[in-house]
Amino acid sequence: MDKYILILHIIRLILMIENRGKGSYKAINIKVEPPGPRAKEIIERDEKYLVRTTKSLPVVGYRGKGVFVEDVDGNVFLDFSSGISVTNVGHVNERIRDAVEKQLDRLWHFAGTDYYYREQVDAAQALTEITPGKFAKKVFFSNSGTEANEAAIKIAKAHAGKQQFIGFIGGFHGRSQGSLSFTASKSLYKKGFFPTMPGVEHAPFPDPYRNPFGIDGYENPDELVEAVMGYIEDYMFKMYVPPENVAAFMVEPIQGEGGYIVPPKSFHKKLMKLAADNDILVIMDEVQSGFGRTGKFFASEHFGVEPEIISLAKAIASGIPMGATVIRDRLNFAASGMHSNTFGGNLVASAACVETIRVMKEDKLVENSARVGSYFRKRLEELKEKHDAIGDVRGLGLMLAIDFVTDRRKKTPAVKLRDQIEMSLFKKGLLTLSTGVSSIRLIPPLIVTEEQIDMGIEVIDAAIGESL
Ligand SMILES: Cc1ncc(COP(=O)(O)O)c(C=O)c1O
């Protein structure tokens, strides 16, 4: 081996050992009030050089391990946000790191849509094996959730030969012009961007807690589902959306950005039946709810449905950018070149995806999500008993949220209080993200333990107590 390469390898090994030693955390440790001086300097430069995006908390990550993240000032945070449900296997998982490293030593990029390589095929096969439905499937790879949905839209249009679609109020599907036309969780996302893709109408989503029908969906779930189905059939289909023109519904099994809204159990089966009866496809957007988050590999499984088009991204390669559209074989594009891209199925992302699935199965992370998720929920229900400001605790597995209200009976959203609590949690060393109108989502990596949940609960309890 060349002398210089050997020296480089040794330096890399030393750095690796150094980082590994420092990356084991057991508890929250706030040394300086965040954001500290180093964080402030980076945030200032971020504002100077980066285009404005969402940015909800002034936390500047430096390194992480498992469920903890250290910021640039040496503060250690308990991470109940998982990079928006991406690092489901935990931060810096050694096995995925090794798989990526091995791939980096071999080949990085090789035009996966024009040439061939094993890694992409392995990732596609693994995805077809774990997604719901025993039927033959195919995968289109991209780099993000919005691209996975763009591909789904084109697949539906190409197969059905129709151009009309139906999305759901409260849904979030991305921000590129096609996906954006379905997104309906905040009008801000669309403000100034019309016209988006034409031909998308929206139906109400059966939100058991707050819905336009005034139905208590926890008490009367079937009545709520009937109200939504009736709205689609009696108003949309009869008055302004001819079903013969509709290519597909696009729907999340559980709404993510809309507020972690779990619809009644019968909803998705009824929707799939309505779609099948009218020769309409269903695009199931599992970008946020997929990959073990809800205590099953895919949230669709809770509802007993096997969608023919599933959009995936976020956790599928543990943070290496990757999107995937998994479709039933029969929906394949009719001709080569109808859809394609440069980076989809990139070798490094494919290697990370294959290893992520292996780790999730071998370490039983889906089972852990269900078990620790139900413990977490029980603890959150206890907090609800204690604090009147919590109006609702909802979610499945480790996809949980608490909704803050100023009046429990009227369910009036307490937006300011929610924002205050999110900031207070951060200052105390717990990372969370807001969602919906007045909720905070709680989505730790799926490796989280009950002890770590207790740690988080203690912080949430204190933050709510102090904010009232
Ligand atoms: C359900 C759902 N679909 C699509 C997207 C868009 O994914 P991306 O931000 O990777 O484009 C998101 C992102 O939060 C999402 O939650």
Side-chain angles (χ1 to χ4, degrees), residues 1-34:
M1 192 188 294
D2 188 293
K3 183 165 85 188
Y4 295 107
I5 293 184
L6 188 69
I7 292 169
L8 275 178
H9 270 301
I10 292 169
I11 293 171
R12 202 170 66 170
L13 207 69
I14 292 167
L15 283 175
M16 251 168 54
I17 291 166
E18 222 215 15
N19 264 324
R20 280 187 184 180
K22 287 189 181 153
S24 305
Y25 310 102
K26 292 210 160 32
I28 292 170
N29 186 2
I30 300 299
K31 295 178 182 159
V32 280
E33 185 180 336

Side-chain angles (χ1 to χ4, degrees), residues 84 86 143-149 171-176 179 183 250-258 260 285-289 311-314 322-323 399 441:
I84 328 186
V86 169
N143 312 288
S144 63
T146 200
E147 283 175 85
N149 282 327
F172 184 91
H173 302 282
R175 291 174 159 102
S176 49
S179 310
T183 289
M250 186 185 283
V251 65
E252 292 160 274
I254 296 171
Q255 285 189 335
E257 305 299 306
Y260 280 31
D285 183 344
E286 290 250 22
V287 167
Q288 189 155 172
S289 59
S311 309
L312 301 172
K314 288 199 185 283
M322 184 175 232
M399 186 175 185
R441 63 189 122 183

Side-chain angles (χ1 to χ4, degrees), residues 228-240:
V228 168
M229 291 302 147
Y231 185 92
I232 298 171
E233 288 188 273
D234 299 336
Y235 289 88
M236 299 187 80
F237 283 179
K238 287 190 182 151
M239 293 177 178
Y240 60 103

Side-chain angles (χ1 to χ4, degrees), residues 133-207:
K134 290 269 176 281
F135 40 79
K137 297 170 204 151
K138 286 193 157 51
V139 180
F140 176 81
F141 281 116
S142 52
N143 312 288
S144 63
T146 200
E147 283 175 85
N149 282 327
E150 294 291 341
I153 294 165
K154 285 177 79 175
I155 284 160
K157 277 187 178 177
H159 177 81
K162 307 186 243 180
Q163 284 77 37
Q164 195 81 20
F165 288 87
I166 297 176
F168 287 85
I169 297 167
F172 184 91
H173 302 282
R175 291 174 159 102
S176 49
Q177 293 280 312
S179 310
L180 182 63
S181 58
F182 289 88
T183 289
S185 53
K186 272 194 194 127
S187 60
L188 170 74
Y189 296 153
K190 283 179 159 154
K191 193 173 166 188
F193 296 126
F194 290 104
T196 55
M197 185 186 91
V200 182
E201 304 285 352
H202 290 83
F205 192 75
D207 175 350

Side-chain angles (χ1 to χ4, degrees), residues 113-114 140-142 146-155 158 325 332-342:
T113 52
D114 287 54
F140 176 81
F141 281 116
S142 52
T146 200
E147 283 175 85
N149 282 327
E150 294 291 341
I153 294 165
K154 285 177 79 175
I155 284 160
T325 313
N332 199 8
F333 284 116
S336 159
M338 285 176 73
H339 194 53
S340 189
N341 60 14
T342 298

Side-chain angles (χ1 to χ4, degrees), residues 76-377:
V76 177
F77 294 86
L78 180 59
D79 184 4
F80 278 12
S81 67
S82 302
I84 328 186
S85 201
V86 169
T87 54
N88 284 7
V89 297
H91 291 285
V92 193
N93 178 288
E94 304 271 314
R95 284 165 59 190
I96 294 160
R97 197 193 59 82
D98 289 348
V100 166
E101 193 177 55
K102 257 194 216 154
Q103 192 56 52
L104 285 172
D105 282 340
R106 236 179 9 241
L107 192 65
W108 299 8
H109 180 78
F110 196 57
T113 52
D114 287 54
Y115 300 159
Y116 297 85
Y117 45 85
R118 200 201 69 220
E119 289 75 6
Q120 179 172 220
V121 184
D122 288 348
Q125 186 177 343
L127 286 174
T128 62
E129 285 168 6
I130 58 170
T131 40
K134 290 269 176 281
F135 40 79
K137 297 170 204 151
K138 286 193 157 51
V139 180
F140 176 81
F141 281 116
S142 52
N143 312 288
S144 63
T146 200
E147 283 175 85
N149 282 327
E150 294 291 341
I153 294 165
K154 285 177 79 175
I155 284 160
K157 277 187 178 177
H159 177 81
K162 307 186 243 180
Q163 284 77 37
Q164 195 81 20
F165 288 87
I166 297 176
F168 287 85
I169 297 167
F172 184 91
H173 302 282
R175 291 174 159 102
S176 49
Q177 293 280 312
S179 310
L180 182 63
S181 58
F182 289 88
T183 289
S185 53
K186 272 194 194 127
S187 60
L188 170 74
Y189 296 153
K190 283 179 159 154
K191 193 173 166 188
F193 296 126
F194 290 104
T196 55
M197 185 186 91
V200 182
E201 304 285 352
H202 290 83
F205 192 75
D207 175 350
Y209 188 58
R210 293 186 189 100
N211 57 70
F213 308 104
I215 297 170
D216 181 338
Y218 292 132
E219 290 289 319
N220 305 301
D222 292 334
E223 190 189 335
L224 177 60
V225 172
E226 284 316 312
V228 168
M229 291 302 147
Y231 185 92
I232 298 171
E233 288 188 273
D234 299 336
Y235 289 88
M236 299 187 80
F237 283 179
K238 287 190 182 151
M239 293 177 178
Y240 60 103
V241 192
E244 301 79 16
N245 289 167
V246 179
F249 287 98
M250 186 185 283
V251 65
E252 292 160 274
I254 296 171
Q255 285 189 335
E257 305 299 306
Y260 280 31
I261 312 293
V262 186
K265 194 139 181 117
S266 63
F267 171 61
H268 287 292
K269 259 198 182 147
K270 290 248 163 85
L271 182 69
M272 298 275 285
K273 173 151 189 346
L274 180 71
D277 289 349
N278 289 281
D279 195 22
I280 297 171
L281 295 165
V282 174
I283 300 166
M284 193 65 80
D285 183 344
E286 290 250 22
V287 167
Q288 189 155 172
S289 59
F291 262 67
R293 180 51 56 198
T294 63
K296 302 224 184 251
F297 232 115
F298 296 93
S300 304
E301 296 170 55
H302 287 284
F303 301 92
V305 292
E306 298 178 346
E308 290 190 299
I309 307 175
I310 302 180
S311 309
L312 301 172
K314 288 199 185 283
I316 72 172
S318 296
I320 308 292
M322 184 175 232
T325 313
V326 183
I327 62 166
R328 193 172 185 150
D329 188 60
R330 75 180 184 103
L331 303 176
N332 199 8
F333 284 116
S336 159
M338 285 176 73
H339 194 53
S340 189
N341 60 14
T342 298
F343 287 126
N346 163 277
L347 282 133
V348 180
S350 290
C353 174
V354 170
E355 195 59 26
T356 297
I357 295 171
R358 199 172 290 141
V359 167
M360 289 197 59
K361 283 182 179 167
E362 288 176 11
D363 294 357
K364 300 200 174 342
L365 297 191
V366 182
E367 290 83 343
N368 199 60
S369 170
R371 192 178 56 77
V372 180
S374 84
Y375 176 74
F376 196 0
R377 193 183 172 114

